[in-house]
Amino acid sequence: MWSIFKKEINSFLNSLIAYLVMGVFLVSMGLLVWVFPDTAIFEYGYADMGIFFNLAPYVLMFLIPAITMKALAEETKSGTFELLMTKPITELKLLLGKYFAGLVLVFISLIPTLVYYFSLSYLSNPVGNIDTAGIIGAYIGLLFLASSYTGIGIFSSSLSENQIVSFIIAVFISFIVFMGFSSISDLAFVSELDIQIDKIGMLAHYDALGKGVIDFRDVLYFISISSLFLGATYMVLKLRKWNS
């Protein structure tokens, strides 16, 4: 697993796509949080990172599939998957190596956004008058959300040898699981089950963690979503090995 992990990290960081994806993410978040009038923090008149945590899930919905789309799709297209299976590497080690590499790359992309916190803390009046505990809780929620998106991205990458197709599938599934159930719960004919349907989606649990309260049930939910898609990916890899 460690060799797969290092290979993925080195491969991604040695490609132009890595810096392009991270650059687009940081620039787009910077413009949304600091520049665009409709979303800029300065328009609110108080030190709060709520707008960042509200917008980040939608930007990550595209960033993470861009990072994970080649994880398994490229192995299939180049024929190296069959070669890997002839080596002492199990499907589980291959899967976890790819997953943790993708997760680390996403976390690396999020680290520069800590500048927003320190900038707001410095600009607030008095200096440091900012809800640090709430922001830490919101970051934890964002990391759990990113881990689930990464699981979905790895699963989507296992379904096709075409990276673009994998990207589109990952964005679609991420969108449905994040806010699709919340939108369905607003429909009139499901009004009696609206709370239960809303809690199936990630948005309700992400919002709960974003309030700064780390509830074990929300943490367990995100771990379950990641495990569900990693389990599905494992089955896809097993089937592919049997058919090869």
Side-chain angles (χ1 to χ4, degrees):
M1 187 185 90
W2 180 238
S3 60
I4 297 292
F5 175 84
K6 286 195 297 182
K7 173 177 171 290
E8 283 297 302
I9 294 288
N10 291 332
S11 172
F12 193 80
L13 293 181
N14 287 329
S15 70
L16 180 62
I17 294 177
Y19 302 99
L20 186 63
V21 169
M22 291 181 186
V24 168
F25 169 69
L26 294 172
V27 170
S28 59
M29 288 307 308
L31 291 173
L32 288 167
V33 173
W34 298 101
V35 179
F36 293 160
D38 290 340
T39 56
I41 286 174
F42 294 123
E43 300 297 322
Y44 291 86
Y46 53 89
D48 181 70
M49 287 185 63
I51 191 65
F52 167 73
F53 292 110
N54 288 337
L55 295 174
Y58 300 98
V59 179
L60 289 177
M61 200 177 286
F62 293 90
L63 169 74
I64 294 177
I67 290 176
T68 58
M69 64 183 183
K70 76 180 187 70
L72 292 167
E74 190 174 67
E75 303 285 5
T76 305
K77 186 175 182 179
S78 63
T80 52
F81 175 77
E82 288 76 10
L83 180 63
L84 283 172
M85 290 300 98
T86 63
K87 298 182 179 298
I89 300 175
T90 64
E91 293 86 350
L92 183 60
K93 290 181 179 178
L94 174 65
L95 170 60
L96 293 180
K98 300 276 186 181
Y99 172 72
F100 285 118
L103 204 53
V104 167
L105 291 169
V106 174
F107 288 176
I108 290 174
S109 302
L110 287 175
I111 288 175
T113 65
L114 292 174
V115 171
Y116 302 162
Y117 166 76
F118 292 110
S119 299
L120 273 180
S121 179
Y122 178 75
L123 294 172
S124 61
N125 187 18
V127 173
N129 184 24
I130 189 170
D131 182 12
T132 300
I135 290 174
I136 291 174
Y139 260 111
I140 291 173
L142 192 59
L143 293 178
F144 275 114
L145 178 70
S147 68
S148 296
Y149 278 171
T150 305
I152 293 171
I154 295 292
F155 169 69
S156 302
S157 184
S158 72
L159 298 179
S160 171
E161 64 177 32
N162 188 310
Q163 295 184 27
I164 302 301
V165 172
S166 299
F167 174 82
I168 294 171
I169 293 173
V171 172
F172 177 74
I173 296 177
S174 297
F175 175 80
I176 294 298
V177 181
F178 180 69
M179 64 174 300
F181 291 102
S182 179
S183 299
I184 292 173
S185 70
D186 291 334
L187 298 176
F189 69 91
V190 296
S191 58
E192 294 182 357
L193 298 172
D194 56 344
I195 296 177
Q196 289 81 358
I197 293 175
D198 187 41
K199 286 189 176 297
I200 298 175
M202 291 193 284
L203 180 58
H205 299 274
Y206 175 72
D207 285 344
L209 289 173
K211 295 174 183 175
V213 179
I214 309 302
D215 191 313
F216 175 74
R217 291 169 296 183
D218 297 317
V219 172
L220 182 62
Y221 170 84
F222 281 110
I223 293 174
S224 300
I225 291 293
S226 302
S227 302
L228 174 66
F229 282 97
L230 290 178
T233 309
Y234 179 76
M235 295 303 298
V236 172
L237 295 180
K238 274 289 187 185
L239 287 173
R240 185 176 300 168
K241 183 179 180 180
W242 290 337
N243 293 330
S244 63

